[in-house]
């Protein structure tokens, strides 16, 4: 015929192109059924939902057929049974069919002691991972104030408490964690100049070191402690280090001969030993220690009187003054080291959470101790997690930068403009991925698990009792305190 109907001409052209795809482009033919399941509480709401769905499809030149008298077959085909009971099918090529394949997004869902970290922002599937399976389980939680850093840490702590047998220790400089720890039956240790909770910085156990000389590693801590107390800009002198190192075996001799709690030395014993030495350097160190032994800051000159065997411990150092806070953070780190070495013998993991991590990185002694924790805890079953808003502090020196490089798990929330550029360069984040931490809402961002990067969202039900225990918003924290009081 000279004149071919337009519909027939269109279908003929489509058939030719389809045949060309199948013959020369390695395409295959698939029969596809696409189902849209609408549910509602009333028939009126259902009719509206069906009408709206059809309108959206029409907007994209797609026609939907309502399954009249086939609702049961449609429902059973929609549930995940792997059965298609609807006889309506459409022929599509491989390229067109691939649009419907749900495996185009990267997922994180692991078996074992996996913890929940929110929903995949692209697929809405759960993110369930086990940090212990990483080559290096050390982690960081990064975000601007109000983005949900502390809440995310509490979320992981709660999940770890119920899903694993791990011990959990929290360094809490702002007094935010004690309602949750109380509710979980943990031990909250309030350390302040007026507190009756005491932590002994001289505590040691026989597994403190890798070798048979636990005093070797403990000596490093005591030197850092004295360095912090003396406030020397360039550190303490070699002669002063030698004097301290000479006194330590004398101070610990009684405990090593009979390792019972009553024989554990305190800071006052080190002070007395230094006073007995003849060198001027020894007297200088003793004089610096005097205020912490006999003076107004003697809170750390007592034997430990709190339960350090509890499975979850929170060191609340909010009320420590400016002079004592740095010292308190260093002593908390040493207590964590103690606990990790004890658990290492029983092959038990220890999770350590450090809030306001940037405070530790400002002082040379606490920063060096933190770097050592990040380097050595992995082989001892320790899982440290730093929570901070200051990215620049993590990259302030080559030594501290090791913390960043030795963290295979990063939970990244909303970031400030300057920090975003630093992170994009440091972690090779694409501009599209960076959009998930740009002006993002609470509990939204990127999760880094080894080489896998996934955008996530984590919306928590605010009506739950657990939310009141975990929130850090002043207007909502009062409810959490009331729960603890009850």
């Amino acid at each position: 015929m000279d004149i071919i109907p337009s519909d027939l001409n269109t279908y003929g052209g489509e058939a030719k192109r389809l045949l060309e795809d199948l013959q020369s482009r390695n395409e295959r033919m698939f029969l596809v059924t696409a189902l849209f399941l609408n549910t509602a509480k009333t028939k009126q709401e259902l009719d509206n939902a069906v009408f709206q769905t059809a309108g959206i499809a029409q907007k994209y030149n797609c026609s939907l057929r309502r399954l009249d008298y086939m609702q049961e077959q449609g429902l059973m085909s929609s549930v995940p049974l792997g059965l298609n009971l609807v006889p309506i099918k459409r022929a599509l090529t491989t390229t067109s069919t691939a649009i419907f394949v749900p495996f185009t997004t990267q997922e994180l869902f692991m078996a074992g002691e996996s913890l929940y970290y929110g929903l995949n922002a692209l697929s809405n599937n759960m993110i369930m991972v086990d940090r212990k399976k990483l080559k290096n389980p050390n982690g960081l939680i990064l975000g601007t104030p109000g983005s949900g850093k502390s809440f995310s840490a509490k979320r992981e702590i709660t999940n770890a408490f119920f899903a694993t047998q791990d011990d959990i220790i929290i360094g809490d400089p702002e007094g935010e964690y004690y309602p949750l720890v109380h509710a979980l039956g943990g031990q909250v240790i309030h350390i302040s100049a007026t507190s009756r909770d005491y932590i002994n910085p001289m505590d040691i156990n026989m597994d403190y070191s890798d070798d048979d000389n636990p005093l070797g590693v403990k000596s490093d801590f005591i030197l850092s402690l004295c360095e912090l107390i003396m406030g020397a800009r360039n550190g303490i002198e070699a002669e002063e280090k030698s004097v301290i190192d000479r006194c330590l075996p004398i101070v610990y001799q009684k405990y090593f001969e009979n390792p019972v709690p009553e024989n554990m030395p305190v800071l006052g014993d080190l002070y007395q030993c230094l006073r007995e030495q003849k060198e001027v350097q020894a007297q200088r160190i003793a004089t610096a220690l005097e205020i912490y032994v006999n003076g107004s800051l003697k809170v750390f000159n007592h034997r430990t009187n709190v339960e350090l065997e509890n499975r979850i411990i929170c060191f609340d150092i909010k009320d420590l003054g400016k002079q004592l806070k740095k010292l308190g953070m260093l002593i908390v780190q040493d207590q964590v080291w103690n606990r990790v070495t004890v658990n290492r013998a029983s092959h038990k993991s220890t999770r350590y959470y450090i809030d306001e991590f940037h405070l530790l990185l400002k002082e040379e002694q606490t920063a060096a101790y933190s770097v050592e924790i990040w380097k050595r805890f992995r082989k001892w079953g320790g899982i440290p997690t730093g929570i901070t808003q200051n990215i620049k502090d993590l990259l302030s020196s080559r030594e501290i930068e090791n913390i960043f490089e030795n963290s295979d798990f990063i939970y990244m929330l909303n970031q400030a403009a300057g920090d975003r550029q630093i992170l994009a360069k440091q972690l090779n984040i694409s501009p599209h991925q960076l959009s998930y931490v740009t002006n993002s809402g609470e509990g939204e961002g990127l999760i880094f698990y080894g080489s896998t990067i996934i955008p996530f969202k984590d919306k928590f039900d605010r009506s739950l009792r657990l939310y009141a225990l975990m929130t850090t918003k002043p207007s909502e924290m009062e409810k959490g305190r009331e729960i603890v009081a009850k």
Side-chain angles (χ1 to χ4, degrees), residues 337-369:
W337 193 290
N338 257 319
R339 184 63 171 269
V340 169
T341 54
V342 169
N343 286 345
R344 176 182 58 161
S346 56
H347 305 288
K348 190 176 187 180
S349 296
T350 310
R351 295 176 184 262
Y352 175 37
Y353 294 86
I354 320 133
D355 210 341
E356 305 298 340
F357 190 36
H358 54 275
L359 297 177
L360 285 171
L361 303 180
K362 287 180 179 178
E363 292 297 325
E364 184 182 342
Q365 295 79 14
T366 50
Y369 214 70

Side-chain angles (χ1 to χ4, degrees), residues 167-181:
D167 284 348
I168 301 166
I169 302 176
I170 305 159
D172 181 12
E174 297 298 326
E176 298 176 2
Y177 289 78
Y178 72 86
L180 177 64
V181 175

Side-chain angles (χ1 to χ4, degrees), residues 460-468 479:
F460 201 89
D461 188 348
R462 300 192 176 199
S463 65
L464 294 178
R465 181 185 177 194
L466 191 57
Y467 176 82
K479 190 176 177 183

Side-chain angles (χ1 to χ4, degrees), residues 239-304:
E239 294 91 341
E240 294 168 332
K241 289 182 180 179
S242 296
V243 170
I244 295 169
D245 195 60
R246 182 202 310 155
C247 289
L248 286 178
I250 301 169
V251 171
Y252 281 99
Q253 182 179 358
K254 188 176 178 183
Y255 178 76
F256 286 147
E257 289 173 355
N258 184 18
V260 293
E262 298 78 35
N263 290 337
M264 185 69 73
V266 294
L267 209 54
D269 296 322
L270 177 61
Y271 169 79
Q272 290 298 335
C273 188
L274 286 166
R275 281 294 186 210
E276 292 168 5
Q277 307 304 306
K278 296 178 182 178
E279 290 90 349
V280 176
Q281 291 86 351
Q283 303 311 312
R284 191 186 308 140
I285 302 165
T287 303
L289 285 174
E290 192 166 354
I291 190 173
Y292 298 95
V293 175
N294 302 320
S296 57
L297 303 180
K298 59 181 180 182
V299 62
F300 293 119
N301 187 34
H302 300 273
R303 287 198 176 90
T304 301

Side-chain angles (χ1 to χ4, degrees), residues 8-241:
L8 192 61
N9 191 24
T10 301
Y11 295 150
E14 286 184 356
K16 285 181 181 178
R17 286 193 294 273
L18 177 62
L19 185 62
E20 184 180 334
D21 286 343
L22 294 173
Q23 288 178 335
S24 60
R25 295 182 183 171
N26 199 28
E27 298 271 358
R28 295 191 180 185
M29 183 76 78
F30 293 90
L31 295 175
V32 177
T33 302
L35 290 162
F36 296 85
L37 177 65
N38 293 284
T39 60
K41 293 183 178 179
T42 65
K43 188 176 185 303
Q44 181 64 46
E45 290 178 5
L46 184 61
D47 288 341
N48 291 341
V50 171
F51 182 76
Q52 288 173 352
T53 306
I56 294 168
Q58 191 67 39
K59 178 182 175 182
Y60 295 100
N61 295 324
C62 295
S63 60
L64 297 182
R65 176 175 166 185
R66 201 169 71 180
L67 292 180
D68 292 333
Y69 307 108
M70 292 181 64
Q71 288 94 337
E72 183 181 348
Q73 288 90 333
L75 174 64
M76 299 313 293
S77 300
S78 298
V79 297
L81 297 176
L83 299 174
N84 184 13
L85 305 177
V86 178
I88 304 168
K89 294 181 175 65
R90 166 72 192 268
L92 294 175
T93 58
T94 305
T95 303
S96 300
T97 307
I99 294 170
F100 298 100
V101 176
F103 308 114
T104 55
T105 59
Q106 201 166 23
E107 301 289 354
L108 270 175
F109 195 92
M110 303 170 66
E113 290 186 345
S114 299
L115 304 183
Y116 173 78
Y117 289 94
L119 299 176
N120 189 320
L122 300 174
S123 65
N124 279 330
N125 289 327
M126 288 194 298
I127 299 173
M128 300 282 292
V129 298
D130 183 1
R131 284 171 60 179
K132 295 177 196 172
K133 293 184 178 178
L134 282 168
K135 182 173 67 176
N136 201 333
N138 303 342
L140 293 167
I141 299 176
L142 310 174
T144 55
S147 59
K149 299 188 303 296
S150 297
F151 192 94
S152 301
K154 291 171 191 171
R155 163 84 109 158
E156 184 180 274
I157 288 167
T158 307
N159 290 344
F161 183 80
F162 290 112
T164 73
Q165 296 299 314
D166 301 345
D167 284 348
I168 301 166
I169 302 176
I170 305 159
D172 181 12
E174 297 298 326
E176 298 176 2
Y177 289 78
Y178 72 86
L180 177 64
V181 175
H182 269 307
L184 295 175
Q187 168 78 62
V188 178
I189 303 169
H190 298 282
I191 307 175
S192 71
T194 57
S195 171
R196 292 292 174 265
D197 292 349
Y198 297 129
I199 296 295
N200 183 7
M202 304 292 285
D203 278 347
I204 194 171
N205 67 77
M206 306 310 285
D207 297 313
Y208 197 85
S209 172
D210 279 328
D211 52 33
D212 294 330
N213 181 24
L215 199 55
V217 178
K218 188 67 181 182
S219 175
D220 286 342
F221 165 73
I222 301 294
L223 289 170
S224 298
L225 189 73
C226 293
E227 204 166 3
L228 201 58
I229 287 171
M230 296 183 73
R233 284 188 178 181
N234 302 318
I236 55 179
E237 301 296 330
E239 294 91 341
E240 294 168 332
K241 289 182 180 179

Side-chain angles (χ1 to χ4, degrees), residues 401-418:
E401 195 175 348
N402 288 331
I403 290 175
F404 208 87
E405 294 175 350
N406 285 331
S407 299
D408 281 354
F409 179 86
I410 299 175
Y411 196 85
M412 189 183 298
L413 297 149
N414 183 52
Q415 296 295 318

